[in-house]
PDB file of all heavy atoms in Angstrom:
ATOM      1  N   ILE A 226      83.128 146.491  88.234  1.00 91.00           N
ATOM      2  CA  ILE A 226      82.662 145.736  89.403  1.00 91.00           C
ATOM      3  C   ILE A 226      83.845 145.069  90.082  1.00 91.00           C
ATOM      4  O   ILE A 226      83.936 145.014  91.309  1.00 91.00           O
ATOM      5  CB  ILE A 226      81.623 144.682  88.966  1.00 91.00           C
ATOM      6  CG1 ILE A 226      80.324 145.371  88.525  1.00 91.00           C
ATOM      7  CG2 ILE A 226      81.334 143.698  90.097  1.00 91.00           C
ATOM      8  CD1 ILE A 226      79.320 144.447  87.882  1.00 91.00           C
ATOM      9  N   LYS A 227      84.769 144.572  89.300  1.00 87.00           N
ATOM     10  CA  LYS A 227      85.909 143.844  89.871  1.00 87.00           C
ATOM     11  C   LYS A 227      86.864 144.781  90.593  1.00 87.00           C
ATOM     12  O   LYS A 227      87.486 144.378  91.595  1.00 87.00           O
ATOM     13  CB  LYS A 227      86.660 143.122  88.747  1.00 87.00           C
ATOM     14  CG  LYS A 227      87.557 141.989  89.213  1.00 87.00           C
ATOM     15  CD  LYS A 227      86.747 140.759  89.548  1.00 87.00           C
ATOM     16  CE  LYS A 227      87.638 139.551  89.800  1.00 87.00           C
ATOM     17  NZ  LYS A 227      86.829 138.360  90.106  1.00 87.00           N
ATOM     18  N   VAL A 228      87.007 146.037  90.128  1.00 86.00           N
ATOM     19  CA  VAL A 228      88.044 146.933  90.700  1.00 86.00           C
ATOM     20  C   VAL A 228      87.925 147.119  92.211  1.00 86.00           C
ATOM     21  O   VAL A 228      88.941 146.901  92.912  1.00 86.00           O
ATOM     22  CB  VAL A 228      88.037 148.288  89.953  1.00 86.00           C
ATOM     23  CG1 VAL A 228      88.977 149.299  90.630  1.00 86.00           C
ATOM     24  CG2 VAL A 228      88.498 148.090  88.506  1.00 86.00           C
ATOM     25  N   PRO A 229      86.786 147.485  92.824  1.00 85.00           N
ATOM     26  CA  PRO A 229      85.545 147.990  92.254  1.00 85.00           C
ATOM     27  C   PRO A 229      85.559 149.514  92.219  1.00 85.00           C
ATOM     28  O   PRO A 229      86.035 150.174  93.142  1.00 85.00           O
ATOM     29  CB  PRO A 229      84.508 147.506  93.261  1.00 85.00           C
ATOM     30  CG  PRO A 229      85.224 147.497  94.572  1.00 85.00           C
ATOM     31  CD  PRO A 229      86.674 147.285  94.300  1.00 85.00           C
ATOM     32  N   MET A 230      84.979 150.080  91.131  1.00 88.00           N
ATOM     33  CA  MET A 230      84.850 151.528  91.023  1.00 88.00           C
ATOM     34  C   MET A 230      83.561 151.985  91.687  1.00 88.00           C
ATOM     35  O   MET A 230      82.591 151.230  91.765  1.00 88.00           O
ATOM     36  CB  MET A 230      84.806 151.936  89.550  1.00 88.00           C
ATOM     37  CG  MET A 230      86.128 151.802  88.818  1.00 88.00           C
ATOM     38  SD  MET A 230      86.014 152.444  87.141  1.00 88.00           S
ATOM     39  CE  MET A 230      85.915 154.206  87.452  1.00 88.00           C
ATOM     40  N   PHE A 231      83.537 153.207  92.164  1.00 85.00           N
ATOM     41  CA  PHE A 231      82.303 153.819  92.622  1.00 85.00           C
ATOM     42  C   PHE A 231      81.355 153.924  91.419  1.00 85.00           C
ATOM     43  O   PHE A 231      81.793 154.343  90.334  1.00 85.00           O
ATOM     44  CB  PHE A 231      82.592 155.218  93.188  1.00 85.00           C
ATOM     45  CG  PHE A 231      81.386 155.951  93.675  1.00 85.00           C
ATOM     46  CD1 PHE A 231      80.959 155.821  94.979  1.00 85.00           C
ATOM     47  CD2 PHE A 231      80.661 156.775  92.815  1.00 85.00           C
ATOM     48  CE1 PHE A 231      79.846 156.496  95.425  1.00 85.00           C
ATOM     49  CE2 PHE A 231      79.551 157.446  93.256  1.00 85.00           C
ATOM     50  CZ  PHE A 231      79.141 157.311  94.560  1.00 85.00           C
ATOM     51  N   PRO A 232      80.073 153.540  91.476  1.00 86.00           N
ATOM     52  CA  PRO A 232      79.306 153.097  92.636  1.00 86.00           C
ATOM     53  C   PRO A 232      79.114 151.582  92.713  1.00 86.00           C
ATOM     54  O   PRO A 232      78.116 151.123  93.238  1.00 86.00           O
ATOM     55  CB  PRO A 232      77.973 153.786  92.373  1.00 86.00           C
ATOM     56  CG  PRO A 232      77.822 153.716  90.878  1.00 86.00           C
ATOM     57  CD  PRO A 232      79.208 153.788  90.300  1.00 86.00           C
ATOM     58  N   PHE A 233      80.082 150.799  92.175  1.00 86.00           N
ATOM     59  CA  PHE A 233      79.951 149.337  92.176  1.00 86.00           C
ATOM     60  C   PHE A 233      80.756 148.704  93.316  1.00 86.00           C
ATOM     61  O   PHE A 233      81.081 147.523  93.266  1.00 86.00           O
ATOM     62  CB  PHE A 233      80.456 148.781  90.840  1.00 86.00           C
ATOM     63  CG  PHE A 233      79.840 149.431  89.630  1.00 86.00           C
ATOM     64  CD1 PHE A 233      80.562 150.338  88.869  1.00 86.00           C
ATOM     65  CD2 PHE A 233      78.532 149.158  89.278  1.00 86.00           C
ATOM     66  CE1 PHE A 233      80.007 150.941  87.755  1.00 86.00           C
ATOM     67  CE2 PHE A 233      77.958 149.768  88.172  1.00 86.00           C
ATOM     68  CZ  PHE A 233      78.684 150.665  87.411  1.00 86.00           C
ATOM     69  N   HIS A 234      81.078 149.481  94.333  1.00 85.00           N
ATOM     70  CA  HIS A 234      82.034 149.054  95.350  1.00 85.00           C
ATOM     71  C   HIS A 234      81.403 148.387  96.564  1.00 85.00           C
ATOM     72  O   HIS A 234      82.138 147.940  97.449  1.00 85.00           O
ATOM     73  CB  HIS A 234      82.780 150.300  95.855  1.00 85.00           C
ATOM     74  CG  HIS A 234      81.875 151.255  96.577  1.00 85.00           C
ATOM     75  ND1 HIS A 234      80.999 152.071  95.896  1.00 85.00           N
ATOM     76  CD2 HIS A 234      81.664 151.461  97.893  1.00 85.00           C
ATOM     77  CE1 HIS A 234      80.302 152.774  96.780  1.00 85.00           C
ATOM     78  NE2 HIS A 234      80.689 152.420  97.996  1.00 85.00           N
ATOM     79  N   THR A 235      80.083 148.288  96.637  1.00 85.00           N
ATOM     80  CA  THR A 235      79.448 147.943  97.914  1.00 85.00           C
ATOM     81  C   THR A 235      79.758 146.519  98.374  1.00 85.00           C
ATOM     82  O   THR A 235      79.628 146.218  99.561  1.00 85.00           O
ATOM     83  CB  THR A 235      77.925 148.133  97.833  1.00 85.00           C
ATOM     84  OG1 THR A 235      77.412 147.295  96.782  1.00 85.00           O
ATOM     85  CG2 THR A 235      77.574 149.583  97.528  1.00 85.00           C
ATOM     86  N   TRP A 236      80.161 145.636  97.443  1.00 87.00           N
ATOM     87  CA  TRP A 236      80.491 144.276  97.877  1.00 87.00           C
ATOM     88  C   TRP A 236      81.839 144.223  98.589  1.00 87.00           C
ATOM     89  O   TRP A 236      82.111 143.308  99.365  1.00 87.00           O
ATOM     90  CB  TRP A 236      80.514 143.318  96.681  1.00 87.00           C
ATOM     91  CG  TRP A 236      81.597 143.613  95.676  1.00 87.00           C
ATOM     92  CD1 TRP A 236      81.505 144.395  94.569  1.00 87.00           C
ATOM     93  CD2 TRP A 236      82.956 143.130  95.695  1.00 87.00           C
ATOM     94  NE1 TRP A 236      82.704 144.440  93.894  1.00 87.00           N
ATOM     95  CE2 TRP A 236      83.607 143.666  94.565  1.00 87.00           C
ATOM     96  CE3 TRP A 236      83.667 142.302  96.563  1.00 87.00           C
ATOM     97  CZ2 TRP A 236      84.939 143.400  94.279  1.00 87.00           C
ATOM     98  CZ3 TRP A 236      84.997 142.039  96.280  1.00 87.00           C
ATOM     99  CH2 TRP A 236      85.614 142.587  95.152  1.00 87.00           C
ATOM    100  N   LEU A 237      82.695 145.219  98.340  1.00 86.00           N
ATOM    101  CA  LEU A 237      84.085 145.135  98.794  1.00 86.00           C
ATOM    102  C   LEU A 237      84.247 145.189 100.318  1.00 86.00           C
ATOM    103  O   LEU A 237      84.908 144.312 100.890  1.00 86.00           O
ATOM    104  CB  LEU A 237      84.915 146.234  98.132  1.00 86.00           C
ATOM    105  CG  LEU A 237      86.399 146.226  98.504  1.00 86.00           C
ATOM    106  CD1 LEU A 237      87.099 145.024  97.905  1.00 86.00           C
ATOM    107  CD2 LEU A 237      87.076 147.512  98.039  1.00 86.00           C
ATOM    108  N   PRO A 238      83.691 146.197 101.025  1.00 85.00           N
ATOM    109  CA  PRO A 238      83.914 146.231 102.477  1.00 85.00           C
ATOM    110  C   PRO A 238      83.413 144.974 103.176  1.00 85.00           C
ATOM    111  O   PRO A 238      84.094 144.440 104.065  1.00 85.00           O
ATOM    112  CB  PRO A 238      83.123 147.478 102.916  1.00 85.00           C
ATOM    113  CG  PRO A 238      83.034 148.319 101.689  1.00 85.00           C
ATOM    114  CD  PRO A 238      82.932 147.362 100.556  1.00 85.00           C
ATOM    115  N   ALA A 239      82.231 144.486 102.784  1.00 87.00           N
ATOM    116  CA  ALA A 239      81.698 143.290 103.426  1.00 87.00           C
ATOM    117  C   ALA A 239      82.612 142.090 103.192  1.00 87.00           C
ATOM    118  O   ALA A 239      82.904 141.317 104.125  1.00 87.00           O
ATOM    119  CB  ALA A 239      80.296 143.000 102.879  1.00 87.00           C
ATOM    120  N   ALA A 240      83.080 141.931 101.954  1.00 88.00           N
ATOM    121  CA  ALA A 240      83.952 140.795 101.646  1.00 88.00           C
ATOM    122  C   ALA A 240      85.268 140.893 102.415  1.00 88.00           C
ATOM    123  O   ALA A 240      85.757 139.903 102.977  1.00 88.00           O
ATOM    124  CB  ALA A 240      84.218 140.748 100.138  1.00 88.00           C
ATOM    125  N   HIS A 241      85.850 142.094 102.482  1.00 85.00           N
ATOM    126  CA  HIS A 241      87.114 142.259 103.188  1.00 85.00           C
ATOM    127  C   HIS A 241      86.960 141.998 104.678  1.00 85.00           C
ATOM    128  O   HIS A 241      87.786 141.335 105.299  1.00 85.00           O
ATOM    129  CB  HIS A 241      87.637 143.684 102.986  1.00 85.00           C
ATOM    130  CG  HIS A 241      88.524 143.821 101.786  1.00 85.00           C
ATOM    131  ND1 HIS A 241      89.543 142.942 101.511  1.00 85.00           N
ATOM    132  CD2 HIS A 241      88.551 144.736 100.791  1.00 85.00           C
ATOM    133  CE1 HIS A 241      90.152 143.318 100.400  1.00 85.00           C
ATOM    134  NE2 HIS A 241      89.564 144.394  99.936  1.00 85.00           N
ATOM    135  N   VAL A 242      85.907 142.540 105.268  1.00 85.00           N
ATOM    136  CA  VAL A 242      85.725 142.428 106.714  1.00 85.00           C
ATOM    137  C   VAL A 242      85.486 140.977 107.126  1.00 85.00           C
ATOM    138  O   VAL A 242      86.010 140.502 108.135  1.00 85.00           O
ATOM    139  CB  VAL A 242      84.556 143.328 107.170  1.00 85.00           C
ATOM    140  CG1 VAL A 242      84.178 143.019 108.609  1.00 85.00           C
ATOM    141  CG2 VAL A 242      84.955 144.792 107.032  1.00 85.00           C
ATOM    142  N   GLU A 243      84.717 140.244 106.347  1.00 88.00           N
ATOM    143  CA  GLU A 243      84.363 138.884 106.736  1.00 88.00           C
ATOM    144  C   GLU A 243      85.401 137.851 106.307  1.00 88.00           C
ATOM    145  O   GLU A 243      85.450 136.759 106.872  1.00 88.00           O
ATOM    146  CB  GLU A 243      83.000 138.517 106.133  1.00 88.00           C
ATOM    147  CG  GLU A 243      81.854 139.423 106.571  1.00 88.00           C
ATOM    148  CD  GLU A 243      81.680 139.493 108.076  1.00 88.00           C
ATOM    149  OE1 GLU A 243      81.917 138.475 108.756  1.00 88.00           O
ATOM    150  OE2 GLU A 243      81.360 140.583 108.587  1.00 88.00           O
TER     151      GLU A 243
END
Side-chain angles (χ1 to χ4, degrees):
I226 290 171
K227 199 77 171 181
V228 173
M230 288 185 72
F231 179 89
F233 308 105
H234 66 284
T235 59
W236 65 268
L237 181 69
H241 270 313
V242 169
E243 300 304 326

